[in-house]
Amino acid sequence: MSPLADALVAELRAAPRHFGELVEAHMDTPWRDFLRAWGEVRAADLLARDDAGRYLIRTEAA
């Protein structure tokens, strides 16, 4: 994964976040680059959602 995708995964491991929160945290990143990295995270099949609809990284046990 790209460094930005790795950063997104690390942020989601630290705390669940809505997509908009991730976008706001990376406003200095060109939109195309952000979406490419988000696509990498989605393709890696790591994402889950909590009851509030926030994204989080699935654990091995889940």
Side-chain angles (χ1 to χ4, degrees):
M1 279 198 281
S2 68
L4 180 55
D6 287 337
L8 293 172
V9 169
E11 290 172 39
L12 292 171
R13 276 200 176 111
R17 300 182 200 288
H18 287 287
F19 180 75
E21 293 174 288
L22 293 168
V23 171
E24 288 176 6
H26 296 277
M27 291 298 291
D28 58 334
T29 302
W31 183 239
R32 184 179 195 136
D33 295 342
F34 180 86
L35 289 179
R36 187 175 297 123
W38 181 246
E40 290 179 58
V41 174
R42 290 185 53 136
D45 198 29
L46 300 170
L47 295 174
R49 287 205 175 186
D50 66 9
D51 292 338
R54 297 173 298 191
Y55 288 100
L56 52 91
I57 299 301
R58 217 180 10 248
T59 62
E60 292 294 325

